[in-house]
Amino acid sequence: MHKVIIIGSGCAGLTAAIYAARADLQPLVLDGYEPGGQLALTTEVENFPGFPEGILGPELIERTRKQAQRFGTEFHAGAVASVDLSKRPFKITAGKETYETQTLIVAAGASARMLGIESERNLLGHGVSTCATCDGAFFRNRDIIVVGGGDTAMEEATFLTKFAKKVMLVHRRSEFRASKIMLDRAHANEKIEFMTPYAIEEVHDVSKKSVELVTLKNTQTGERRTVATEGLFIAIGHDPNTKVFKGHLNMDDNGYLITHDGPKTNVAGVFAAGDVQDHHYRQAITAAGSGCMAAIEAERFLAAEKA
Ligand code: NDP
């Protein structure tokens, strides 16, 4: 029987683990499909406090993981297949194991949707990015592409004009899912050039480990063209990793967990932290902060039961 199980080993999960371990709760972290979360998929991180020269995302994660281990956190590999949160102890099944726990912290994250092209995967962190706030400053005076037709794409394209010389907004249809106000703002920005209806077919050049060109295909006529660019921002949405919690935890229409009073969910003793409950800020530091809050609440929950 565990006092606390943490699902997810990104910034939120690992920070929760540090706090829970230091509170003597001997946390168990279940790593999940993407150990290390979104930071493990990026390169330079320049906005995490305490690292004036910046730090590589995977290194930041590795250091945070070691910090959690130092105070006795246990890690098990494997993604969660099912949960039973109907009564305590909660039951969590991952791989062949079923674990029992008095409290649960869900920090399973949200995965950025990707186009699904191999070259895009290979160049992630080398010119391909899923986060304008994180990586925009690396593209000062460059020509870059933002892909997507929703509010995220409009917001990121507009934000990126602060740095970029030109932002090309590529969308597969000529109609946009974005709200009128966000679309109008992007249209009014002289630095944004709309390119529709185009899909990204290929990102070059994987052999040089940098983005130099993309091949676009017109989704109506089939015409192909290549466009020079130094950055490619994928802004086609995120999917919170919450499928296994359907029917157990309250979530919004997009599948994000709904929390109240900080990290509390609708089930007493189950807390949520990081991107799994936040589609607004999505930053390493906000995820870490909410992981800390979840661990403190788990500790207080257990202490109140004992009293
Ligand atoms: P959306 O699901 O709204 O939009 C995703 C966009 O990406 C769509 O235009 C879609 O194209 C496109 N897309 C999806 N998959 C692919 C693919 N494989 N290849 C190419 N294009 C693809 O996601 P968002 O992240 O933009 O928004 C999510 C929610 O968050 C929305 O409710 C939005 O309003 C909200 N939001 C609000 C903001 C604000 O108000 N400040 C800022 C950001 C988000 P298609 O249209 O053809 O399906």
Side-chain angles (χ1 to χ4, degrees):
M1 167 74 80
H2 295 270
K3 289 181 189 146
V4 57
I5 284 183
I6 299 165
I7 298 177
S9 57
C11 251
L14 293 179
T15 305
I18 293 170
Y19 275 77
R22 293 191 75 253
D24 224 11
L25 299 180
Q26 296 106 29
L28 169 67
V29 173
L30 301 175
D31 262 336
Y33 280 118
E34 288 178 348
Q38 299 296 294
L39 273 189
L41 303 175
T42 186
T43 47
E44 204 65 26
V45 178
E46 289 188 329
N47 54 8
F48 201 90
F51 298 94
E53 278 84 38
I55 182 167
L56 292 173
E59 190 188 339
L60 178 55
I61 280 296
E62 193 46 40
R63 291 170 72 135
T64 317
R65 195 176 170 104
K66 281 200 182 124
Q67 199 174 348
Q69 271 164 338
R70 181 180 152 204
F71 299 107
T73 303
E74 202 185 329
F75 287 86
H76 285 192
V80 173
S82 66
V83 297
D84 180 359
L85 308 180
S86 58
K87 57 180 186 307
R88 295 177 64 223
F90 305 125
K91 289 193 178 62
I92 317 294
T93 304
K96 287 182 189 137
E97 301 281 338
T98 294
Y99 304 92
E100 290 192 344
T101 183
Q102 292 168 21
T103 64
L104 177 67
I105 295 175
V106 182
S111 306
R113 284 186 207 139
M114 302 296 289
L115 301 171
I117 315 167
E118 204 181 328
S119 49
E120 163 204 49
R121 234 333 132 190
N122 289 331
L123 289 169
L124 194 60
H126 299 275
V128 174
S129 169
T130 56
C131 177
T133 314
C134 319
D135 298 330
F138 298 121
F139 294 88
R140 278 180 210 282
N141 285 321
R142 313 274 171 96
D143 288 349
I144 57 176
I145 287 180
V146 173
V147 196
D151 281 340
T152 299
M154 298 311 135
E155 189 170 69
E156 302 225 326
T158 306
F159 172 78
L160 287 165
T161 58
K162 280 208 238 180
F163 310 101
K165 191 160 74 189
K166 181 168 81 172
V167 176
M168 292 162 277
L169 193 125
V170 174
H171 177 42
R172 62 186 176 185
R173 294 186 299 135
S174 297
E175 301 76 38
F176 289 89
R177 206 175 279 272
S179 55
K180 187 175 178 313
I181 183 166
M182 306 277 284
L183 187 59
D184 287 350
R185 197 173 296 154
H187 269 304
N189 192 317
E190 285 176 359
K191 279 190 172 181
I192 301 178
E193 180 186 331
F194 280 72
M195 291 177 153
T196 64
Y198 283 101
I200 308 260
E201 204 170 55
E202 199 62 61
V203 195
H204 313 273
D205 186 332
V206 174
S207 66
K208 291 189 190 155
K209 271 278 174 204
S210 69
V211 172
E212 299 188 351
L213 275 181
V214 297
T215 309
L216 303 181
K217 185 178 176 188
N218 188 306
T219 55
Q220 278 169 10
T221 63
E223 166 239 342
R224 283 191 174 78
R225 58 193 284 198
T226 53
V227 175
T229 183
E230 290 180 71
L232 176 65
F233 285 82
I234 314 292
I236 60 174
H238 286 77
D239 292 316
N241 301 313
T242 54
K243 274 197 192 108
V244 295
F245 304 106
K246 269 212 172 105
H248 299 276
L249 297 179
N250 289 345
M251 45 186 87
D252 67 16
D253 293 344
N254 295 316
Y256 287 91
L257 298 185
I258 295 172
T259 49
H260 66 93
D261 299 317
K264 296 180 184 172
T265 68
N266 57 302
V267 176
V270 179
F271 306 92
D275 290 5
V276 78
Q277 51 84 58
D278 169 28
H279 51 77
H280 191 69
Y281 297 107
R282 289 196 192 115
Q283 298 302 298
I285 189 68
T286 50
S290 73
C292 157
M293 288 157 68
I296 288 176
E297 290 299 343
E299 183 196 354
R300 289 184 183 160
F301 179 85
L302 291 170
E305 277 190 329
K306 261 200 207 154

